[in-house]
Amino acid sequence: MMRLIQIGAGNMGAWWMQVIDDSDDIEPAALIDIDSARAAALVRKHRSDSIGVYKTLYDALNRVQADAVLDVSPPQFRLAHIHAALDRNMPILIEKPLAASMNDARAIMDMVNAHDSLVVVAQNYRYHVPIMTVKSLLDAGEIGRLSKVTVEHYRGLSLSGFHQQLAYPLLQDMSIHHLDLMRFFLGAEPLTIFARSWNPPGSAFNGDASVAAIFDFPNHVVVTYDASWSSNGLETSWNGNWRFEGEAGVITLRDDVVTVQKRTGKISGRDIVFDEPRVIAPVAGMPSGQHYLLREFYEAVRGNGVPATIAQDNIHSIRMVFKVIESIKSGTVVTFAE
């Protein structure tokens, strides 16, 4: 049984506690939150009063026996929590994003390399069933070589707390999922980025809640990203709507439904003839989202494999976020070359 110290008892912390409850191989050793009453209430709801509640990770590390750490705190605390865990040679699973700044991300990578420790980022969107369904089609070459990918994400949100302190709340919170998925789907790193951001009238945010970006990927693949947290209707799913243009057809993910339409090789007058669109059955037979990530982390702690979203890989996804911001601020095309 793996014993886990969890940091964070807010909404995401409550969800992760449920994911832990669903596991037969993992149990909470302690719960940490600056709001002790909130943490105690969450412990009572999910387990028992025997689980220790602490205000800092150092307190918990000094008082309980544990095998690993789960960090579900806001990103500005990530660097300190990873430092504390790695000082005890303890593997840590962290909520996205990896860090609050690129400087923090580099400092984290220095620590990871110095300690040769396991730091895994919870990019759970990779393991949503619709996403895995699309990935299986792309890996099988269903529509041949890609030329264009279109990503749309629209939600109407009103969030308080640290989101109101962010200059780019959508980019600095949600977009890491979609940018990471670009790398995941294409199996490649971006070459350039040009982006703009703005805050629509009536937005509930202080910072820019909308963004439009164009990425160039290898093999002449262009990816456009259009997203907003200040949408006024017809929202997308959290996964977003995706369209993949290939030489042999198109794959779409819309409202979490995957559809394929392919060329027949025939022409009628001036029109290319296409097959009838096919709705693709979701992949099945494996855990998804946070359940998949927690299981993968558990196996890695036991020495069985290396998770796909370790910090050494995820540094490239968070770098995309800050390159988008760099392009917005400069008004220029930004390259990813060091």
Side-chain angles (χ1 to χ4, degrees), residues 274-297:
F274 302 101
D275 288 333
E276 288 297 315
R278 293 181 290 118
V279 174
I280 305 301
V283 297
M286 60 188 300
S288 64
Q290 281 95 340
H291 290 84
Y292 184 101
L293 279 163
L294 189 61
R295 184 68 196 180
E296 190 179 50
F297 180 67

Side-chain angles (χ1 to χ4, degrees), residues 52-172:
V53 172
Y54 303 94
K55 286 194 172 183
T56 72
L57 178 55
Y58 280 109
D59 286 343
L61 289 170
N62 288 330
R63 298 185 184 185
V64 302
Q65 182 179 355
D67 303 297
V69 175
L70 168 63
D71 185 6
V72 198
S73 65
Q76 61 265 35
F77 304 113
R78 197 80 72 231
L79 179 62
H81 290 156
I82 292 175
H83 183 271
L86 297 191
D87 265 357
R88 302 296 181 93
N89 294 315
M90 194 165 291
I92 181 169
L93 171 63
I94 63 173
E95 256 297 343
K96 59 79 189 167
L98 174 65
S101 69
M102 202 60 212
N103 285 338
D104 279 4
R106 294 189 184 99
I108 288 169
M109 292 310 304
D110 288 342
M111 288 190 291
V112 170
N113 293 330
H115 288 81
D116 191 25
S117 298
L118 180 66
V119 178
V120 180
V121 184
Q123 294 289 175
N124 56 297
Y125 277 49
R126 287 193 182 202
Y127 306 113
H128 288 176
V129 170
I131 298 299
M132 291 190 290
T133 303
V134 171
K135 178 64 171 171
S136 68
L137 293 171
L138 293 173
D139 287 351
E142 181 71 19
I143 57 171
R145 291 178 299 175
L146 296 179
S147 60
K148 175 67 166 62
V149 182
T150 303
V151 190
E152 298 175 325
H153 172 76
Y154 299 110
R155 307 291 299 188
L157 299 179
S158 178
L159 302 176
S160 58
F162 79 94
H163 288 94
Q164 294 300 339
Q165 302 169 20
L166 300 176
Y168 309 97
L170 166 69
L171 271 172
Q172 291 172 269

Side-chain angles (χ1 to χ4, degrees), residues 3-7 17 28-33 36 39-40 43 47-56 59-60 63-65:
R3 289 173 54 78
L4 198 62
I5 295 174
Q6 177 175 320
I7 311 169
M17 187 69 79
L31 181 60
I32 299 164
D33 199 278
S36 299
V43 165
R47 295 282 178 163
S48 71
D49 292 332
S50 62
I51 297 171
V53 172
Y54 303 94
K55 286 194 172 183
T56 72
D59 286 343
R63 298 185 184 185
V64 302
Q65 182 179 355

Side-chain angles (χ1 to χ4, degrees), residues 2-24:
M2 185 172 83
R3 289 173 54 78
L4 198 62
I5 295 174
Q6 177 175 320
I7 311 169
N11 291 334
M12 283 303 299
W15 171 244
W16 272 105
M17 187 69 79
Q18 182 59 57
V19 174
I20 294 169
D21 273 356
D22 293 339
S23 171
D24 294 327

Side-chain angles (χ1 to χ4, degrees), residues 138 143-149 185-186 218-222 243-247 249 251:
L138 293 173
I143 57 171
R145 291 178 299 175
L146 296 179
S147 60
K148 175 67 166 62
V149 182
F185 283 137
L186 298 178
N219 299 316
H220 308 290
V221 178
V222 175
R243 180 184 175 96
F244 300 84
E245 290 275 352
E247 60 185 341
I251 298 170

